[in-house]
């Protein structure tokens, strides 16, 4: 594995000046303010990144609008070819980009590599999609008329992404938006700006190689950028991934100007552990779901709803498994759990534990902040487990940290009600070898989440399926299936090839 300086150099973003000169591809000027990026792994400053000004925003939006006039008429399969080359470039840079993701965000190295693989997978998906943007034909009620529908690109698609998946979520949106004929403007998380610059450099290189307008893909890093996007009528679609709290603001702002939004917000995901479950497999799914990415996935397992007959036995297995977890540098592949993203996240973790105890939570695995030379960033915490009631206020909230809540149930109907009894509706799972239980969980009377799994955990989505959830998760869908329709506008067309004008519904209008 390369050291971080070599990684930055290989990704083409290392400059002699500690402040990155981001240039026209992502819109920052030489006089802009800077943002320091620190690694949660060791607390060290990686680099300073120049922030975009309001003037930079205008420059980028105008370039994007000009590029759209070209890109929308560029044949879809040829757009797919550009995305294919982007996927090939990602394959070349997988190790370096995955390492940067791990170091700047704090997730394990294997998860960093996996995130880049998701980018490659969505590019492959989008290439095929570029020849499958199907419409429908319908029979007209009027003689000698043909009726059909087609899909057109919308224009500028803005992507506002979160720190926990600093590259994959952008690619989900970008690959689909591009093959659909849109152009993209990306505001990455200010907590992981270097990942954004690396991705923009890779795709900009592909565009330049093909003599494409640079405004097809754009990056803007800055505190004011999100607000400018949300209120800009020139941006018909905003895809936002983040907290429910900020999602409400984005949704209201975009809707007030009759724009469209794709919202992928918070999750409060549960696994039901049936008395008919394979307990060994269930332990693996529960532990990975709860501690993977240090509990900082929107699909992280927050709650285990366990049948009363196996509750104590499963709890004891879980406690034993937690005792085997290795916490430390995520670039060391022997470790299971890395750091939280920053000190603010650590404070939220501590607050949730304190609040849980005040409400009556019984911690069977205690939490705490780790200290010492191996944890010098101050961002390493202990994954913990608490016995709770589902109605506790802290259980109803999403805490982006490795805190797992245990809840006991008697009947499957009760378990499903507990699973659904939170404001969020992203991912859910049941562990059972009972076919009736599995089918009931997946029925209309079962899980109310956008994702419902049987005998796998709540995290680890594949790009082939549409990703997203209901209720306070926002209702948006990204990635696979027919999620591409969210990036296009539908148009119904009727062609009259007769020599008379026939009105619908047999209306007569004679002159």
């Amino acid at each position: 594995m390369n050291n971080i300086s070599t990684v930055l150099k290989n990704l083409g973003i290392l400059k002699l000046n500690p402040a990155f000169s981001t240039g026209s591809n992502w819109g920052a000027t030489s006089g802009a303010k800077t943002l320091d990026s620190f690694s949660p792994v060791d607390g060290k400053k990686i680099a300073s990144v120049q922030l975009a000004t309001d003037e930079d925003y205008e420059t980028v939006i105008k370039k994007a609008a000009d590029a759209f006039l070209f890109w929308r008429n560029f044949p879809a399969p040829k757009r797919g070819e550009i995305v294919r080359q982007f996927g090939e470039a990602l394959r070349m840079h997988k190790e370096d980009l995955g390492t940067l993701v791990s170091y700047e965000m704090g997730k394990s190295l294997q998860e960093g590599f996996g995130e880049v693989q998701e980018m490659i997978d969505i590019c492959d998906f989008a290439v095929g999609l570029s020849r499958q943007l199907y419409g429908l034909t319908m029979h007209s009620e009027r003689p000698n008329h043909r009726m059909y529908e087609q899909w057109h690109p919308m224009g500028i698609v803005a992507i506002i992404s979160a720190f926990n998946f600093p590259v994959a979520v952008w690619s989900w949106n970008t690959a689909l938006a591009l093959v659909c004929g849109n152009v993209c403007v990306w505001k990455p998380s200010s907590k992981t700006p270097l990942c954004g610059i690396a991705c923009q450099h890779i795709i900009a290189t592909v565009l330049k190689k093909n003599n494409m307008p640079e405004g097809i893909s754009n990056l803007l890093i800055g505190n004011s950028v999100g607000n400018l996007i949300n209120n800009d009528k020139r941006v018909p679609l905003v895809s936002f991934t983040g907290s429910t709290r900020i999602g409400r603001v984005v949704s209201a702002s975009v809707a007030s100007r009759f724009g469209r939004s794709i919202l992928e917000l918070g999750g409060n995901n549960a696994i039901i552990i049936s008395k008919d479950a394979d307990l060994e497999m269930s332990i693996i799914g529960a532990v990975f779901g709860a501690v993977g990415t240090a509990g900082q996935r929107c699909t992280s397992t927050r709650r285990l709803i366990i049948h009363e007959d196996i509750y104590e036995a499963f709890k004891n297995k879980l406690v034993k498994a937690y005792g085997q977890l290795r916490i430390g540098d995520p670039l060391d592949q022997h470790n299971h759990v890395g750091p939280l993203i920053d000190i603010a996240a650590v404070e939220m973790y501590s607050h949730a534990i304190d609040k849980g105890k005040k409400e009556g939570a019984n911690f069977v695995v205690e939490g705490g902040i780790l200290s010492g030379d191996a944890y010098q960033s101050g961002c390493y915490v202990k994954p913990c487990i608490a016995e709770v009631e589902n109605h506790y206020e802290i259980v109803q909230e999403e805490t982006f940290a490795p805190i797992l809540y245990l809840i006991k149930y008697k009947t499957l109907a009760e378990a499903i009600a507990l699973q659904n009894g939170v404001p969020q509706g992203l991912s859910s799972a049941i562990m059972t070898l009972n076919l009736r239980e599995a089918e009931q969980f997946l029925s209309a009377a079962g899980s109310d989440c956008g994702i419902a799994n049987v005998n796998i955990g709540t995290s680890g989505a594949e790009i082939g399926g549409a990703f997203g959830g209901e209720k306070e998760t926002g209702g948006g869908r990204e990635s696979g299936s027919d999620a591409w329709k969210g990036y296009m506008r539908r148009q119904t067309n009727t062609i009259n090839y007769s020599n008379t004008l026939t009105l619908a519904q047999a209306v007569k209008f004679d002159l």
Side-chain angles (χ1 to χ4, degrees), residues 71 157 159 172-184 487:
W71 190 245
V157 172
I159 302 158
W172 290 358
N173 287 274
T174 297
L176 296 191
L178 290 184
V179 297
C180 288
N182 303 291
V183 297
C184 298
Y487 303 85

Side-chain angles (χ1 to χ4, degrees), residues 285-317:
V287 174
F288 175 74
V291 308
T293 324
Q296 296 174 111
R297 293 185 177 209
C298 52
T299 56
S300 289
T301 304
R302 311 284 176 203
R303 298 173 295 144
L304 291 185
I305 302 169
I306 309 168
H307 193 277
E308 60 181 6
D309 288 357
I310 59 165
Y311 182 86
E312 290 299 327
F314 193 82
K315 179 180 71 174
N316 292 336
K317 284 179 176 287

Side-chain angles (χ1 to χ4, degrees), residues 327-395:
I327 307 168
D329 184 346
L331 276 71
D332 180 345
Q333 298 190 54
H334 292 96
N335 291 326
H336 299 106
V337 185
L340 295 178
I341 185 65
D342 55 22
I343 297 301
V346 175
E347 291 173 351
M348 285 190 288
Y349 160 86
S350 298
H351 170 75
I353 291 174
D354 291 342
K355 187 172 182 178
K357 289 181 176 180
K358 288 179 181 178
E359 291 190 83
N362 174 40
F363 278 80
V364 295
V365 174
E366 289 286 347
I369 302 169
L370 296 170
S371 59
D373 292 342
Y375 311 114
Q376 57 186 309
S377 68
C379 297
Y380 292 86
V381 301
K382 297 177 183 178
C384 55
I385 304 173
E387 297 176 298
V388 299
E389 297 294 333
N390 202 58
H391 65 267
Y392 288 1
E393 189 174 301
I394 193 60
V395 177

